[in-house]
Amino acid sequence: MQYLNAFILGGFLCAVGQVLIDRTKLTPARILVCYVVAGVLLTALGVYQPLVEWGGAGATVPLTGFGYALAKGVEKAVKADGWMGLFTGGITATAGGVTAAVVLAYLAALLSRPGEKA
C-alpha cells in the first residue's frame, strides 16, 4: 500500500506541475521555485507532515519535498541553536542531496559527449 500511496501523491504533484506548464505562461523554473516555496509553507502550516506520513517518497522526492526538508532543518536547528539556526538549518538538512546532485551532474558531464545542436 505504501508504494501505491507514493505513486498517487507523487503522480498528483507531477500532474499539477504539468498542468501549470501547459495552461499558464509560467516558465518551468518559476514552477520549480513555487514548488519549493509551497513545500516550505505547507510544512510551516503543518499540512505537509501528514502528506509525508501517508505518501512517503511520493511527498519527499519531488521539489515540494526539498522545501519540506529545508523547513524541517530550520525548525530543528532553531530548537538546538537558537536564532542562528535560521541560517544554518536548511543548509545542513539539504547538504547531502545538493552534494549528490552536483557530483552526479559532474560525472554525467564527464561521461557524455558534448556536441553542437543541429
Side-chain angles (χ1 to χ4, degrees):
M1 196 63 180
Q2 290 175 334
Y3 294 121
L4 181 61
N5 292 348
F7 178 77
I8 290 170
L9 184 56
F12 174 76
L13 291 171
C14 291
V16 168
Q18 189 63 49
V19 168
L20 289 172
I21 289 171
D22 293 342
R23 304 277 178 169
T24 68
K25 293 185 181 204
L26 291 172
T27 63
R30 288 185 178 170
I31 294 169
L32 298 177
V33 170
C34 289
Y35 265 43
V36 173
V37 172
V40 171
L41 292 176
L42 291 174
T43 302
L45 295 173
V47 176
Y48 208 74
Q49 184 62 41
L51 291 175
V52 169
E53 292 169 3
W54 182 79
T60 58
V61 172
L63 282 170
T64 50
F66 185 73
Y68 167 78
L70 285 170
K72 282 298 188 180
V74 168
E75 179 183 2
K76 181 179 175 185
V78 166
K79 286 180 184 175
D81 303 328
W83 288 102
M84 188 55 116
L86 285 171
F87 304 105
T88 62
I91 295 168
T92 304
T94 58
V98 172
T99 302
V102 169
V103 169
L104 293 174
Y106 180 72
L107 289 174
L110 289 176
L111 298 174
S112 66
R113 293 182 47 203
E116 299 209 12
K117 292 184 179 182

